[in-house]
């Protein structure tokens, strides 16, 4: 079966310019620097990594929110890179996004019902009175009462606003949704509500998700497979249980060991792999393996040769010379 | 021996521009011993940060004020002190670090001078001594090459390093108590692990007491000796960390523990969320603040607020009933559930 989304050697570089009148490019931020993976239909692929690793940029590049520098993104076999605005508008409907802060993406002067109706009208999916009927349906689907249609964004709590964001994304009947930190801004007790809602909707509507988050517990819970990124590169891809049970890459190991577990007994027994220092700058990333400057097991070769992402067991890939 | 810190029946209120009153902290009592780490857990609006700001007497005036209660540090009542005396306490006895170090650091002053300032003002050190001490402190909190970095500005440091600078400033005067308000929330997990390790290590060396305020149950499980769970401006459960996590007795604590996705859980089970939304603190709360979201609520819960009672040795919970992890949740709650439509802010 053909994967729903195929990402191949995707790159997103942002130019760094200097000068006021004549701007010269003095370098570039390699936010995403050659990533490849497939997402199957109905699957949730988790994308984790620390701030600055390029995970959000990757999500945006896949949806063509910004034109990628290089590489290919195929949706049901069709190449999206280079489609142009007009060509892309056909596919926009099928590819949607849910953001961390739905308040920022809602117009404060437009009622929630109108906000959800807008994409339906823009894409001409319903007409006349059917639009309102569809809005009611969507609100019910995300657990909001229909009576709230006429209310404005500020009248809603954070969790409810995220539900509105989800309803807007669903309004155009998409197949693939990039969820960029969808629960990070929510209170702990509300996060589980939204995660359950996303899972229910996936079942009901046969959705495919790319779930981007820094909360490894949430990502593990919702994802079938997980991609770990470090400084614009993929360091490991594996089944979600596998990556926590048997992480292969030293960075994944450190990441998994650093996540606190809400159990004092387990916390006392766990040993943490503490990494030295901070994330290096993506403007001038380290040579060879990008992780070698912080890696506890790095050898000479790591500083000069970049390790390829290779298979280690079924569906488990990692990029490290020391495995 | 008296406790290092004793908070008795603290009430902290805020006046809203519309003439309303928010009871952000509504009768909180707890104590803390020397060298002990207390975790305060709660969601936004639960009163956890306001409790710590009340201890420091750093509430934004005139909106926020302490409406009642006592706060004793080493037997002295902080609320009875003059502003002058209180400044001494803040400089020499209690230190505080916040979630976002960038907002607490002065962007136009080199970090070394910011660390040296309290040393010069409070410890009467000469500029040269203070600079030397600042470099030593920077090394102690794990900033590499402190000699080179002492003249750098805050924006030249990463988030984790800035938090280390804040900790260095907090340590300048050997505080007896360090209050850390969401110290790692803005940091990545690997950096969070470094900072928590640093706090643990410094605490052991300096025999400080630490109050760590967080919404992350995992953080508390790893560092705290005791835990206060806050909800709706009150402490709803309090006890040694192991009891809170292993034998929670308040439905809210139980609900929180069940709703968090854990990395050590390999099952595909659905999460069990707490339904509804946290209470609107602008409205008076009658009865138990958690009742509208509770699976075990009875009519009694809506009428009378439960007091924090002892449910096991050294373990207190605010619930009318003896609920444990094993109590089956009733399918149909006897209290009408608040629908999603519980609008949180004012129209």
């Amino acid at each position: 079966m053909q994967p729903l989304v195929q990402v191949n050697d995707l790159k997103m570089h942002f130019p760094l310019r200097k000068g006021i009148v004549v701007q010269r490019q003095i370098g570039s931020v390699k936010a995403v620097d050659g990533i490849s993976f497939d997402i199957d239909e109905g699957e949730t692929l988790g994308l984790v990594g620390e701030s600055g690793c390029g995970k959000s940029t990757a999500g945006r590049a896949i949806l063509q929110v910004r034109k990628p520098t290089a590489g290919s993104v195929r949706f049901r076999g069709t190449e999206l890179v280079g489609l142009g605005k007009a060509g892309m508008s056909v596919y926009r409907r099928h590819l949607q996004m849910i953001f961390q802060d739905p308040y920022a993406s809602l117009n404060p002067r437009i009622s929630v019902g109108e906000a959800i109706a807008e994409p339906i009208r823009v894409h001409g999916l319903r007409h006349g009175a059917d639009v309102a009927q569809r809005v009611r349906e969507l609100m019910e689907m995300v657990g909001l009462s229909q009576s709230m249609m006429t209310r404005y964004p500020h009248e809603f709590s954070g969790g409810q606003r995220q539900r509105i964001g989800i309803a807007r994304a669903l309004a155009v009947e998409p197949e693939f949704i990039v969820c960029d930190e969808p629960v990070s801004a929510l209170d702990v007790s509300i996060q589980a509500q939204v995660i359950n809602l996303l899972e229910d909707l996936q079942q009901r509507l046969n959705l495919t998700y790319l779930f981007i988050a820094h909360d490894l517990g949430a990502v593990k819970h919702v994802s079938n497979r997980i991609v770990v990124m470090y400084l614009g590169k993929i360091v490991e891809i594996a089944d979600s249980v596998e990556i926590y049970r048997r992480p292969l890459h030293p960075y994944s190991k450190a990441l998994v060991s650093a996540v606190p577990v809400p159990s004092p007994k387990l916390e006392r027994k766990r040993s943490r792999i503490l990494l030295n220092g901070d994330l290096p700058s993506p403007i001038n990333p380290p040579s060879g393996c990008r992780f070698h400057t912080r890696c506890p097991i790095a050898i000479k070769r790591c500083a000069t040769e970049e390790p390829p992402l290779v298979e280690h067991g079924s569906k488990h890939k990692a990029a490290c010379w020391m495995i | 021996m008296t406790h290092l810190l004793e908070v008795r029946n603290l009430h902290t209120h805020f006046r809203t521009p519309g003439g309303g009153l928010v009871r952000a902290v509504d009768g909180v009592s707890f104590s803390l011993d020397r060298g002990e780490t207390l975790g305060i857990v709660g969601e936004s609006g639960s009163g956890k940060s306001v409790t710590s700001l009340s201890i420091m007497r750093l509430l934004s005036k005139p909106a926020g004020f302490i409406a009642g209660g006592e706060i004793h540090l080493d037997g002295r009542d902080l609320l009875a002190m003059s502003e002058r005396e209180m400044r001494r306490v803040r400089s020499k006895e209690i230190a505080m670090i916040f979630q976002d170090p960038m907002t607490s650091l002065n962007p136009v002053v080199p970090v070394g001078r910011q660390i040296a300032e309290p040393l010069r003002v409070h410890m009467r050190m000469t500029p040269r001594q203070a600079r030397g001490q600042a470099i030593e402190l920077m090394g102690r909190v794990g900033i590499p090459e402190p000699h080179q970095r002492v003249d750098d500005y805050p924006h030249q440091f990463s988030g984790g390093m800035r938090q280390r600078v804040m900790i260095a400033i907090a340590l300048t005067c050997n505080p007896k108590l360090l209050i850390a308000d969401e110290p790692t929330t803005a940091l990545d997990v690997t950096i969070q692990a470094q900072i928590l390790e640093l706090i643990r290590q410094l605490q052991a060396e300096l025999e400080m007491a630490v109050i760590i305020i967080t919404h992350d149950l995992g953080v508390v499980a790893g560092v705290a000796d005791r835990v206060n769970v806050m909800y709706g401006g009150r402490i709803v459960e309090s006890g040694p960390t192991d009891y809170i996590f292993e034998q929670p007795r308040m439905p809210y604590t139980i609900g929180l523990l069940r709703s968090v996705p854990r990395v050590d859980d390999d099952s595909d089970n659905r999460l069990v969320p707490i339904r509804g939304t946290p209470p609107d603190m602008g409205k008076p709360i009658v009865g138990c603040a958690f009742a509208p979201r509770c699976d075990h609520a009875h009519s009694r819960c809506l009428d009378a607020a439960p007091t924090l009672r002892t449910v096991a040795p050294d373990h207190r919970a605010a619930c009318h009933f003896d609920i444990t992890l094993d109590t089956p949740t009733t399918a149909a709650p006897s209290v009408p559930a608040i629908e999603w439509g519980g609008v949180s802010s004012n129209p």
Side-chain angles (χ1 to χ4, degrees), chain B residues 228-261:
Chain B
N228 287 348
V229 181
M230 288 191 72
Y231 190 82
R234 294 188 181 167
I235 295 175
V236 294
E237 185 158 5
S238 169
T241 310
D242 282 23
Y243 292 8
I244 300 287
F245 284 87
E246 307 289 331
Q247 295 143 29
R249 299 296 299 274
M250 164 71 195
Y252 174 64
T253 315
I254 295 171
L256 269 189
L257 287 168
R258 285 197 175 133
S259 67
V260 179

Side-chain angles (χ1 to χ4, degrees), chain B residues 24 76 105 140 149 165 179 228 232 282 308 323-324:
Chain B
R76 290 161 301 145
L105 290 168
R140 194 155 178 190
R149 304 224 64 185
V165 171
I179 302 177
N228 287 348
L308 199 59
I323 309 290
T324 65

Side-chain angles (χ1 to χ4, degrees), chain B residues 172-185:
Chain B
T172 47
C173 306
N174 295 319
K176 296 172 186 160
L177 170 62
L178 175 70
I179 302 177
D181 189 351
E182 302 268 11
T184 58
T185 307

